[in-house]
PDB file of all heavy atoms in Angstrom:
ATOM      1  N   THR A   1      -4.563  -0.504   9.800  1.00 93.00           N
ATOM      2  CA  THR A   1      -3.961   0.713  10.365  1.00 93.00           C
ATOM      3  C   THR A   1      -4.397   1.956   9.589  1.00 93.00           C
ATOM      4  O   THR A   1      -4.213   3.071  10.069  1.00 93.00           O
ATOM      5  CB  THR A   1      -2.414   0.649  10.360  1.00 93.00           C
ATOM      6  OG1 THR A   1      -1.940   0.692   9.017  1.00 93.00           O
ATOM      7  CG2 THR A   1      -1.911  -0.590  11.074  1.00 93.00           C
ATOM      8  N   LEU A   2      -4.976   1.755   8.417  1.00 90.00           N
ATOM      9  CA  LEU A   2      -5.420   2.865   7.564  1.00 90.00           C
ATOM     10  C   LEU A   2      -6.928   3.064   7.629  1.00 90.00           C
ATOM     11  O   LEU A   2      -7.507   3.691   6.759  1.00 90.00           O
ATOM     12  CB  LEU A   2      -5.022   2.591   6.103  1.00 90.00           C
ATOM     13  CG  LEU A   2      -3.554   2.310   5.824  1.00 90.00           C
ATOM     14  CD1 LEU A   2      -3.363   1.874   4.387  1.00 90.00           C
ATOM     15  CD2 LEU A   2      -2.705   3.520   6.149  1.00 90.00           C
ATOM     16  N   LYS A   3      -7.554   2.553   8.683  1.00 84.00           N
ATOM     17  CA  LYS A   3      -9.024   2.533   8.751  1.00 84.00           C
ATOM     18  C   LYS A   3      -9.658   3.916   8.596  1.00 84.00           C
ATOM     19  O   LYS A   3     -10.754   4.043   8.084  1.00 84.00           O
ATOM     20  CB  LYS A   3      -9.501   1.854  10.027  1.00 84.00           C
ATOM     21  CG  LYS A   3      -9.141   2.586  11.305  1.00 84.00           C
ATOM     22  CD  LYS A   3      -9.674   1.849  12.521  1.00 84.00           C
ATOM     23  CE  LYS A   3      -9.372   2.631  13.757  1.00 84.00           C
ATOM     24  NZ  LYS A   3      -8.427   2.102  14.642  1.00 84.00           N
ATOM     25  N   ASP A   4      -8.966   4.968   8.996  1.00 85.00           N
ATOM     26  CA  ASP A   4      -9.526   6.314   8.893  1.00 85.00           C
ATOM     27  C   ASP A   4      -9.141   7.019   7.589  1.00 85.00           C
ATOM     28  O   ASP A   4      -9.598   8.130   7.334  1.00 85.00           O
ATOM     29  CB  ASP A   4      -9.076   7.173  10.082  1.00 85.00           C
ATOM     30  CG  ASP A   4      -9.622   6.626  11.395  1.00 85.00           C
ATOM     31  OD1 ASP A   4     -10.716   6.034  11.375  1.00 85.00           O
ATOM     32  OD2 ASP A   4      -8.945   6.776  12.421  1.00 85.00           O
ATOM     33  N   ALA A   5      -8.316   6.378   6.773  1.00 85.00           N
ATOM     34  CA  ALA A   5      -7.853   7.009   5.532  1.00 85.00           C
ATOM     35  C   ALA A   5      -8.918   6.889   4.442  1.00 85.00           C
ATOM     36  O   ALA A   5      -9.751   5.968   4.449  1.00 85.00           O
ATOM     37  CB  ALA A   5      -6.557   6.357   5.069  1.00 85.00           C
ATOM     38  N   HIS A   6      -8.889   7.799   3.502  1.00 88.00           N
ATOM     39  CA  HIS A   6      -9.776   7.765   2.337  1.00 88.00           C
ATOM     40  C   HIS A   6      -9.458   6.504   1.533  1.00 88.00           C
ATOM     41  O   HIS A   6      -8.312   6.051   1.494  1.00 88.00           O
ATOM     42  CB  HIS A   6      -9.557   9.025   1.491  1.00 88.00           C
ATOM     43  CG  HIS A   6     -10.547   9.186   0.397  1.00 88.00           C
ATOM     44  ND1 HIS A   6     -10.376   8.618  -0.836  1.00 88.00           N
ATOM     45  CD2 HIS A   6     -11.734   9.852   0.357  1.00 88.00           C
ATOM     46  CE1 HIS A   6     -11.403   8.922  -1.610  1.00 88.00           C
ATOM     47  NE2 HIS A   6     -12.244   9.680  -0.897  1.00 88.00           N
ATOM     48  N   PHE A   7     -10.461   5.932   0.857  1.00 83.00           N
ATOM     49  CA  PHE A   7     -10.242   4.670   0.150  1.00 83.00           C
ATOM     50  C   PHE A   7      -9.185   4.799  -0.944  1.00 83.00           C
ATOM     51  O   PHE A   7      -8.474   3.840  -1.246  1.00 83.00           O
ATOM     52  CB  PHE A   7     -11.551   4.089  -0.406  1.00 83.00           C
ATOM     53  CG  PHE A   7     -12.103   4.793  -1.598  1.00 83.00           C
ATOM     54  CD1 PHE A   7     -11.789   4.365  -2.875  1.00 83.00           C
ATOM     55  CD2 PHE A   7     -12.966   5.869  -1.459  1.00 83.00           C
ATOM     56  CE1 PHE A   7     -12.293   5.010  -3.992  1.00 83.00           C
ATOM     57  CE2 PHE A   7     -13.475   6.518  -2.566  1.00 83.00           C
ATOM     58  CZ  PHE A   7     -13.141   6.101  -3.834  1.00 83.00           C
ATOM     59  N   ASN A   8      -9.014   5.983  -1.561  1.00 88.00           N
ATOM     60  CA  ASN A   8      -7.954   6.169  -2.556  1.00 88.00           C
ATOM     61  C   ASN A   8      -6.576   6.046  -1.914  1.00 88.00           C
ATOM     62  O   ASN A   8      -5.660   5.481  -2.508  1.00 88.00           O
ATOM     63  CB  ASN A   8      -8.082   7.538  -3.235  1.00 88.00           C
ATOM     64  CG  ASN A   8      -9.193   7.565  -4.256  1.00 88.00           C
ATOM     65  OD1 ASN A   8      -9.632   6.532  -4.742  1.00 88.00           O
ATOM     66  ND2 ASN A   8      -9.662   8.760  -4.573  1.00 88.00           N
ATOM     67  N   VAL A   9      -6.422   6.577  -0.712  1.00 92.00           N
ATOM     68  CA  VAL A   9      -5.155   6.475   0.006  1.00 92.00           C
ATOM     69  C   VAL A   9      -4.892   5.015   0.366  1.00 92.00           C
ATOM     70  O   VAL A   9      -3.767   4.520   0.219  1.00 92.00           O
ATOM     71  CB  VAL A   9      -5.146   7.375   1.264  1.00 92.00           C
ATOM     72  CG1 VAL A   9      -3.913   7.122   2.125  1.00 92.00           C
ATOM     73  CG2 VAL A   9      -5.249   8.840   0.863  1.00 92.00           C
ATOM     74  N   LYS A  10      -5.928   4.321   0.807  1.00 94.00           N
ATOM     75  CA  LYS A  10      -5.769   2.900   1.138  1.00 94.00           C
ATOM     76  C   LYS A  10      -5.276   2.118  -0.079  1.00 94.00           C
ATOM     77  O   LYS A  10      -4.364   1.303   0.020  1.00 94.00           O
ATOM     78  CB  LYS A  10      -7.095   2.311   1.627  1.00 94.00           C
ATOM     79  CG  LYS A  10      -7.508   2.800   2.988  1.00 94.00           C
ATOM     80  CD  LYS A  10      -8.850   2.183   3.379  1.00 94.00           C
ATOM     81  CE  LYS A  10      -9.330   2.726   4.708  1.00 94.00           C
ATOM     82  NZ  LYS A  10     -10.621   2.165   5.110  1.00 94.00           N
ATOM     83  N   GLY A  11      -5.892   2.380  -1.224  1.00 94.00           N
ATOM     84  CA  GLY A  11      -5.491   1.680  -2.455  1.00 94.00           C
ATOM     85  C   GLY A  11      -4.051   1.975  -2.832  1.00 94.00           C
ATOM     86  O   GLY A  11      -3.299   1.069  -3.217  1.00 94.00           O
ATOM     87  N   ARG A  12      -3.640   3.245  -2.715  1.00 95.00           N
ATOM     88  CA  ARG A  12      -2.262   3.610  -3.053  1.00 95.00           C
ATOM     89  C   ARG A  12      -1.267   3.011  -2.058  1.00 95.00           C
ATOM     90  O   ARG A  12      -0.157   2.620  -2.435  1.00 95.00           O
ATOM     91  CB  ARG A  12      -2.129   5.129  -3.137  1.00 95.00           C
ATOM     92  CG  ARG A  12      -2.863   5.711  -4.349  1.00 95.00           C
ATOM     93  CD  ARG A  12      -2.483   7.152  -4.625  1.00 95.00           C
ATOM     94  NE  ARG A  12      -2.678   8.051  -3.505  1.00 95.00           N
ATOM     95  CZ  ARG A  12      -3.772   8.776  -3.288  1.00 95.00           C
ATOM     96  NH1 ARG A  12      -4.778   8.690  -4.113  1.00 95.00           N
ATOM     97  NH2 ARG A  12      -3.843   9.586  -2.253  1.00 95.00           N
ATOM     98  N   CYS A  13      -1.654   2.928  -0.797  1.00 96.00           N
ATOM     99  CA  CYS A  13      -0.776   2.316   0.206  1.00 96.00           C
ATOM    100  C   CYS A  13      -0.634   0.807  -0.019  1.00 96.00           C
ATOM    101  O   CYS A  13       0.454   0.250   0.139  1.00 96.00           O
ATOM    102  CB  CYS A  13      -1.270   2.612   1.619  1.00 96.00           C
ATOM    103  SG  CYS A  13      -0.960   4.312   2.152  1.00 96.00           S
ATOM    104  N   LEU A  14      -1.728   0.158  -0.390  1.00 96.00           N
ATOM    105  CA  LEU A  14      -1.642  -1.278  -0.690  1.00 96.00           C
ATOM    106  C   LEU A  14      -0.770  -1.501  -1.922  1.00 96.00           C
ATOM    107  O   LEU A  14       0.057  -2.427  -1.954  1.00 96.00           O
ATOM    108  CB  LEU A  14      -3.039  -1.878  -0.892  1.00 96.00           C
ATOM    109  CG  LEU A  14      -3.071  -3.390  -1.123  1.00 96.00           C
ATOM    110  CD1 LEU A  14      -2.446  -4.150   0.045  1.00 96.00           C
ATOM    111  CD2 LEU A  14      -4.504  -3.857  -1.361  1.00 96.00           C
ATOM    112  N   TYR A  15      -0.933  -0.652  -2.935  1.00 97.00           N
ATOM    113  CA  TYR A  15      -0.078  -0.730  -4.129  1.00 97.00           C
ATOM    114  C   TYR A  15       1.385  -0.587  -3.715  1.00 97.00           C
ATOM    115  O   TYR A  15       2.253  -1.365  -4.150  1.00 97.00           O
ATOM    116  CB  TYR A  15      -0.464   0.376  -5.119  1.00 97.00           C
ATOM    117  CG  TYR A  15       0.188   0.240  -6.474  1.00 97.00           C
ATOM    118  CD1 TYR A  15      -0.510  -0.299  -7.543  1.00 97.00           C
ATOM    119  CD2 TYR A  15       1.503   0.665  -6.680  1.00 97.00           C
ATOM    120  CE1 TYR A  15       0.081  -0.418  -8.794  1.00 97.00           C
ATOM    121  CE2 TYR A  15       2.097   0.543  -7.926  1.00 97.00           C
ATOM    122  CZ  TYR A  15       1.390   0.008  -8.978  1.00 97.00           C
ATOM    123  OH  TYR A  15       1.989  -0.122 -10.208  1.00 97.00           O
ATOM    124  N   ALA A  16       1.675   0.380  -2.857  1.00 97.00           N
ATOM    125  CA  ALA A  16       3.043   0.608  -2.383  1.00 97.00           C
ATOM    126  C   ALA A  16       3.572  -0.618  -1.631  1.00 97.00           C
ATOM    127  O   ALA A  16       4.748  -0.975  -1.763  1.00 97.00           O
ATOM    128  CB  ALA A  16       3.097   1.846  -1.488  1.00 97.00           C
ATOM    129  N   LEU A  17       2.703  -1.273  -0.867  1.00 97.00           N
ATOM    130  CA  LEU A  17       3.111  -2.470  -0.126  1.00 97.00           C
ATOM    131  C   LEU A  17       3.502  -3.595  -1.082  1.00 97.00           C
ATOM    132  O   LEU A  17       4.551  -4.220  -0.924  1.00 97.00           O
ATOM    133  CB  LEU A  17       1.990  -2.930   0.808  1.00 97.00           C
ATOM    134  CG  LEU A  17       2.252  -4.233   1.573  1.00 97.00           C
ATOM    135  CD1 LEU A  17       3.445  -4.073   2.516  1.00 97.00           C
ATOM    136  CD2 LEU A  17       1.014  -4.640   2.353  1.00 97.00           C
ATOM    137  N   TRP A  18       2.668  -3.858  -2.086  1.00 97.00           N
ATOM    138  CA  TRP A  18       2.997  -4.929  -3.047  1.00 97.00           C
ATOM    139  C   TRP A  18       4.276  -4.582  -3.804  1.00 97.00           C
ATOM    140  O   TRP A  18       5.111  -5.453  -4.056  1.00 97.00           O
ATOM    141  CB  TRP A  18       1.846  -5.173  -4.021  1.00 97.00           C
ATOM    142  CG  TRP A  18       0.604  -5.760  -3.416  1.00 97.00           C
ATOM    143  CD1 TRP A  18      -0.661  -5.282  -3.545  1.00 97.00           C
ATOM    144  CD2 TRP A  18       0.488  -6.941  -2.591  1.00 97.00           C
ATOM    145  NE1 TRP A  18      -1.553  -6.075  -2.850  1.00 97.00           N
ATOM    146  CE2 TRP A  18      -0.865  -7.097  -2.259  1.00 97.00           C
ATOM    147  CE3 TRP A  18       1.397  -7.860  -2.092  1.00 97.00           C
ATOM    148  CZ2 TRP A  18      -1.342  -8.141  -1.473  1.00 97.00           C
ATOM    149  CZ3 TRP A  18       0.932  -8.911  -1.300  1.00 97.00           C
ATOM    150  CH2 TRP A  18      -0.417  -9.037  -0.990  1.00 97.00           C
ATOM    151  N   TYR A  19       4.448  -3.316  -4.133  1.00 97.00           N
ATOM    152  CA  TYR A  19       5.678  -2.894  -4.807  1.00 97.00           C
ATOM    153  C   TYR A  19       6.892  -3.125  -3.894  1.00 97.00           C
ATOM    154  O   TYR A  19       7.939  -3.598  -4.345  1.00 97.00           O
ATOM    155  CB  TYR A  19       5.601  -1.419  -5.230  1.00 97.00           C
ATOM    156  CG  TYR A  19       6.875  -0.948  -5.880  1.00 97.00           C
ATOM    157  CD1 TYR A  19       7.191  -1.332  -7.182  1.00 97.00           C
ATOM    158  CD2 TYR A  19       7.784  -0.160  -5.178  1.00 97.00           C
ATOM    159  CE1 TYR A  19       8.382  -0.926  -7.768  1.00 97.00           C
ATOM    160  CE2 TYR A  19       8.972   0.252  -5.760  1.00 97.00           C
ATOM    161  CZ  TYR A  19       9.269  -0.132  -7.061  1.00 97.00           C
ATOM    162  OH  TYR A  19      10.451   0.263  -7.633  1.00 97.00           O
ATOM    163  N   ALA A  20       6.762  -2.810  -2.612  1.00 96.00           N
ATOM    164  CA  ALA A  20       7.864  -3.011  -1.667  1.00 96.00           C
ATOM    165  C   ALA A  20       8.222  -4.498  -1.538  1.00 96.00           C
ATOM    166  O   ALA A  20       9.394  -4.851  -1.386  1.00 96.00           O
ATOM    167  CB  ALA A  20       7.506  -2.426  -0.307  1.00 96.00           C
ATOM    168  N   ILE A  21       7.217  -5.359  -1.611  1.00 96.00           N
ATOM    169  CA  ILE A  21       7.488  -6.801  -1.604  1.00 96.00           C
ATOM    170  C   ILE A  21       8.228  -7.176  -2.881  1.00 96.00           C
ATOM    171  O   ILE A  21       9.200  -7.941  -2.856  1.00 96.00           O
ATOM    172  CB  ILE A  21       6.182  -7.607  -1.436  1.00 96.00           C
ATOM    173  CG1 ILE A  21       5.606  -7.383  -0.025  1.00 96.00           C
ATOM    174  CG2 ILE A  21       6.418  -9.095  -1.701  1.00 96.00           C
ATOM    175  CD1 ILE A  21       4.217  -7.941   0.189  1.00 96.00           C
ATOM    176  N   LYS A  22       7.800  -6.626  -3.995  1.00 94.00           N
ATOM    177  CA  LYS A  22       8.447  -6.913  -5.285  1.00 94.00           C
ATOM    178  C   LYS A  22       9.931  -6.576  -5.254  1.00 94.00           C
ATOM    179  O   LYS A  22      10.759  -7.356  -5.721  1.00 94.00           O
ATOM    180  CB  LYS A  22       7.758  -6.119  -6.398  1.00 94.00           C
ATOM    181  CG  LYS A  22       8.442  -6.215  -7.744  1.00 94.00           C
ATOM    182  CD  LYS A  22       7.781  -5.310  -8.761  1.00 94.00           C
ATOM    183  CE  LYS A  22       8.524  -5.323 -10.073  1.00 94.00           C
ATOM    184  NZ  LYS A  22       7.881  -4.470 -11.070  1.00 94.00           N
ATOM    185  N   ILE A  23      10.288  -5.414  -4.696  1.00 93.00           N
ATOM    186  CA  ILE A  23      11.695  -4.978  -4.727  1.00 93.00           C
ATOM    187  C   ILE A  23      12.498  -5.435  -3.511  1.00 93.00           C
ATOM    188  O   ILE A  23      13.679  -5.144  -3.398  1.00 93.00           O
ATOM    189  CB  ILE A  23      11.807  -3.450  -4.909  1.00 93.00           C
ATOM    190  CG1 ILE A  23      11.234  -2.703  -3.699  1.00 93.00           C
ATOM    191  CG2 ILE A  23      11.167  -3.017  -6.220  1.00 93.00           C
ATOM    192  CD1 ILE A  23      11.559  -1.216  -3.701  1.00 93.00           C
ATOM    193  N   GLY A  24      11.848  -6.139  -2.577  1.00 91.00           N
ATOM    194  CA  GLY A  24      12.564  -6.703  -1.438  1.00 91.00           C
ATOM    195  C   GLY A  24      12.703  -5.792  -0.238  1.00 91.00           C
ATOM    196  O   GLY A  24      13.434  -6.121   0.697  1.00 91.00           O
ATOM    197  N   GLU A  25      11.998  -4.669  -0.217  1.00 94.00           N
ATOM    198  CA  GLU A  25      12.012  -3.800   0.966  1.00 94.00           C
ATOM    199  C   GLU A  25      11.124  -4.366   2.067  1.00 94.00           C
ATOM    200  O   GLU A  25      11.302  -4.080   3.242  1.00 94.00           O
ATOM    201  CB  GLU A  25      11.542  -2.390   0.608  1.00 94.00           C
ATOM    202  CG  GLU A  25      12.517  -1.626  -0.250  1.00 94.00           C
ATOM    203  CD  GLU A  25      13.785  -1.252   0.494  1.00 94.00           C
ATOM    204  OE1 GLU A  25      13.686  -0.780   1.637  1.00 94.00           O
ATOM    205  OE2 GLU A  25      14.872  -1.445  -0.069  1.00 94.00           O
ATOM    206  N   VAL A  26      10.130  -5.139   1.670  1.00 96.00           N
ATOM    207  CA  VAL A  26       9.276  -5.890   2.589  1.00 96.00           C
ATOM    208  C   VAL A  26       9.379  -7.344   2.157  1.00 96.00           C
ATOM    209  O   VAL A  26       9.319  -7.655   0.962  1.00 96.00           O
ATOM    210  CB  VAL A  26       7.811  -5.400   2.532  1.00 96.00           C
ATOM    211  CG1 VAL A  26       6.903  -6.294   3.373  1.00 96.00           C
ATOM    212  CG2 VAL A  26       7.719  -3.946   3.008  1.00 96.00           C
ATOM    213  N   ASN A  27       9.564  -8.226   3.109  1.00 95.00           N
ATOM    214  CA  ASN A  27       9.768  -9.641   2.808  1.00 95.00           C
ATOM    215  C   ASN A  27       8.574 -10.490   3.210  1.00 95.00           C
ATOM    216  O   ASN A  27       7.753 -10.093   4.047  1.00 95.00           O
ATOM    217  CB  ASN A  27      11.006 -10.171   3.521  1.00 95.00           C
ATOM    218  CG  ASN A  27      12.262  -9.928   2.740  1.00 95.00           C
ATOM    219  OD1 ASN A  27      12.243  -9.856   1.513  1.00 95.00           O
ATOM    220  ND2 ASN A  27      13.374  -9.795   3.441  1.00 95.00           N
TER     221      ASN A  27
END
């Protein structure tokens, strides 16, 4: 879904996703 985003944004969004899994916001 981030195909048009800059690679730095993609990396930060993936980091945010793993963090959300860590804290239970994403299961």
